[in-house]
Amino acid sequence: MAIDYMITRNNNMISKEDQVSNKSLSFNASLMKNESNIPSQFIWPDHEKPNYASVTRELQVPLIDLSGVLSNDPIEIKKATRLVNEACTKHGFFLVVNHGVDTNLIKNAHVYIDKFFQLPLCEKQKAQRKVGEHCGYASSFVGRFSSKLPWKETLSFQYSDQKGSSHIVEDYFQRTLGEKFSYIGKVYQEYCNAVSTLSLGIMELLGLSLGVSKNHFKEFFQGNESIMRLNYYPTCQKPELTLGTGPHCDPTSLTILHQDSVGGLQVFVDNEWHTITPNFNAFVVNIGDTFMALSNGRYKSCLHRAVVNNKIPRKSLAFFLCPKKDKVITPPNELVDSNNPRIYPDFTWPTLLEFTQKQYRADMNTLQTFSNWLKKTQS
């Protein structure tokens, strides 16, 4: 499907009707997975539905080997920066292997996704996300939007790399779900610590690939205040009618995703959707809107979606790297000149986050719509 075709039919400003709760509608995955009569709120428009009648081609994604980068091998660093630059200029998507995150830690993180989402709905709702907030348990977007609801459940929680926040994830699980979940909190605390460290290493690569100093973006994101999300996509009796996640670019800076063995992630490149084959040894990395602004538009925010199936539930771990709340999103001087003038105004991440929570449903136009709104507001 052509991207222009999607844009002309996409008005994602949140209306008052969208903000009214669907009191008669709920998304109980244990029941919905057996439902053959898909509620209309979960049925997507024809131009956005997945096309199961044709074969979706696999995207040839660059596989970045970080072993040489982490050992400061100049030849490997040069190769990695070239591959990253090519991928991020075109579509904002690549994979990393030999990343240094412990395999057993990753396996445990996946095991505890099942532990949480297999709980009774009433137990999961102890962590219920409140309207207008970005953390907590969400059963689809029921109560937030009234149409094009995703076929998924999520649990999102905050992570901080700042001093004094070394137990923020553990404390969240214990405070929200009770003492018996503290051991799960410890696993995700350790996982977030490891992926946060990985993300700063990737920021070094992004800096080098853009021709700025190696430490520029790494230092910018030190002390990051990020978001961790557990995604669970139940089976669906009619997967051709719905989507696990609709087409969108992440408004955050960088997404580091680990998939299970069930496929479903798709990326929009060269005017068509491409599948991303799961690779347990790799992390999926994609550029988000905030880093697109930091790069002055040099690097593309990745347009992606998730499809569901009628056989096996899918799960994934998503770490959304975000800067400290007071950091101003402005590109380095090296990326601004007479041939490359400023594209986006200065902003802070909390301002964009609030925009996506209260005024605009994230899609492929979020950053441009936000920039236009911000300029209008400031004037």
Side-chain angles (χ1 to χ4, degrees):
M1 87 189 84
I3 198 164
D4 289 340
Y5 181 71
M6 296 168 63
I7 290 174
T8 56
R9 288 161 173 77
N10 224 334
N11 180 5
N12 270 19
M13 296 303 292
I14 299 174
S15 66
K16 290 182 179 180
E17 289 77 13
D18 284 325
Q19 294 173 321
V20 174
S21 297
N22 293 301
K23 293 182 179 179
S24 61
L25 182 68
S26 64
F27 186 81
N28 187 336
S30 63
L31 301 177
M32 294 292 277
K33 67 182 182 181
N34 299 315
E35 182 61 65
S36 59
N37 185 20
I38 308 299
S40 61
Q41 294 91 337
F42 294 91
I43 297 176
W44 284 65
D46 288 342
H47 68 278
E48 291 185 288
K49 287 175 184 171
N51 185 3
Y52 284 94
S54 62
V55 176
T56 305
R57 291 193 297 170
E58 182 179 352
L59 182 65
Q60 298 304 308
V61 188
L63 200 62
I64 313 298
D65 187 340
L66 294 183
S67 58
V69 175
L70 296 173
S71 61
N72 290 314
D73 183 324
I75 295 176
E76 290 300 315
I77 290 174
K78 185 177 181 179
K79 177 183 177 182
T81 53
R82 176 181 59 80
L83 290 172
V84 166
N85 181 272
E86 290 173 358
C88 293
T89 301
K90 185 173 183 179
H91 48 62
F93 188 94
F94 57 94
L95 303 179
V96 295
V97 293
N98 296 319
H99 40 67
V101 180
D102 183 73
T103 301
N104 288 327
L105 177 59
I106 296 172
K107 288 179 179 177
N108 285 336
H110 277 284
V111 166
Y112 291 128
I113 291 181
D114 287 329
K115 293 279 188 185
F116 176 78
F117 288 107
Q118 287 173 2
L119 290 171
L121 181 60
C122 60
E123 288 292 311
K124 291 181 284 191
Q125 287 177 331
K126 290 179 179 179
Q128 186 70 44
R129 178 193 295 190
K130 296 178 182 177
V131 175
E133 295 185 0
H134 64 280
C135 286
Y137 168 71
S139 53
S140 185
F141 286 149
V142 171
R144 187 178 174 203
F145 301 122
S146 58
S147 64
K148 298 200 298 185
L149 297 180
W151 197 267
K152 69 175 180 179
E153 298 178 278
T154 61
L155 179 67
S156 307
F157 44 91
Q158 290 182 309
Y159 168 78
S160 176
D161 187 40
Q162 297 186 63
K163 292 180 179 179
S165 299
S166 59
H167 298 285
I168 185 172
V169 177
E170 294 178 57
D171 292 344
Y172 171 80
F173 274 84
Q174 187 169 330
R175 180 179 68 254
T176 307
L177 296 166
E179 182 70 35
K180 63 182 180 179
F181 287 91
S182 59
Y183 70 99
I184 296 182
K186 289 180 181 179
V187 170
Y188 287 121
Q189 180 72 61
E190 188 178 348
Y191 181 87
C192 288
N193 290 341
V195 179
S196 175
T197 300
L198 171 61
S199 70
L200 296 181
I202 293 172
M203 280 297 159
E204 290 184 338
L205 265 183
L206 292 173
L208 289 171
S209 68
L210 281 164
V212 303
S213 74
K214 176 180 179 181
N215 290 324
H216 180 86
F217 295 120
K218 178 181 179 180
E219 291 174 354
F220 185 86
F221 285 97
Q222 283 177 336
N224 65 82
E225 298 178 84
S226 299
I227 302 166
M228 181 70 204
R229 178 170 298 160
L230 315 182
N231 294 310
Y232 185 80
Y233 302 90
T235 54
C236 178
Q237 294 298 310
K238 294 183 178 177
E240 70 278 5
L241 298 181
T242 191
L243 287 169
T245 301
H248 71 288
C249 298
D250 295 331
T252 49
S253 299
L254 194 71
T255 303
I256 300 183
L257 180 86
H258 196 276
Q259 304 187 78
D260 66 4
S261 60
V262 182
L265 177 62
Q266 296 184 345
V267 174
F268 196 77
V269 181
D270 294 332
N271 224 32
E272 64 178 312
W273 289 104
H274 296 259
T275 61
I276 305 299
T277 301
N279 180 345
F280 191 84
N281 295 318
F283 277 102
V284 171
V285 180
N286 67 264
I287 301 296
D289 288 339
T290 300
F291 194 85
M292 186 172 176
L294 273 174
S295 72
N296 197 32
R298 302 283 185 94
Y299 281 178
K300 300 293 188 293
S301 188
C302 176
L303 177 56
H304 57 288
R305 70 180 185 182
V307 299
V308 293
N309 69 82
N310 59 7
K311 294 180 175 65
I312 310 171
R314 174 178 176 259
K315 55 186 184 291
S316 64
L317 300 153
F319 181 88
F320 301 102
L321 181 68
C322 310
K324 290 172 63 176
K325 293 181 176 65
D326 60 351
K327 290 281 188 178
V328 177
I329 309 302
T330 190
N333 294 331
E334 296 93 326
L335 301 182
V336 181
D337 54 40
S338 58
N339 294 321
N340 299 281
R342 285 289 300 274
I343 299 176
Y344 309 105
D346 286 353
F347 62 92
T348 59
W349 160 240
T351 307
L352 175 55
L353 176 62
E354 184 176 15
F355 180 76
T356 62
Q357 295 301 305
K358 297 181 179 179
Q359 299 198 48
Y360 192 84
R361 182 174 180 175
D363 63 1
M364 69 291 297
N365 301 311
T366 304
L367 182 57
Q368 190 59 59
T369 306
F370 169 71
S371 297
N372 295 340
W373 171 83
L374 194 60
K375 290 175 183 176
K376 184 178 179 181
T377 302
Q378 290 173 343
S379 65

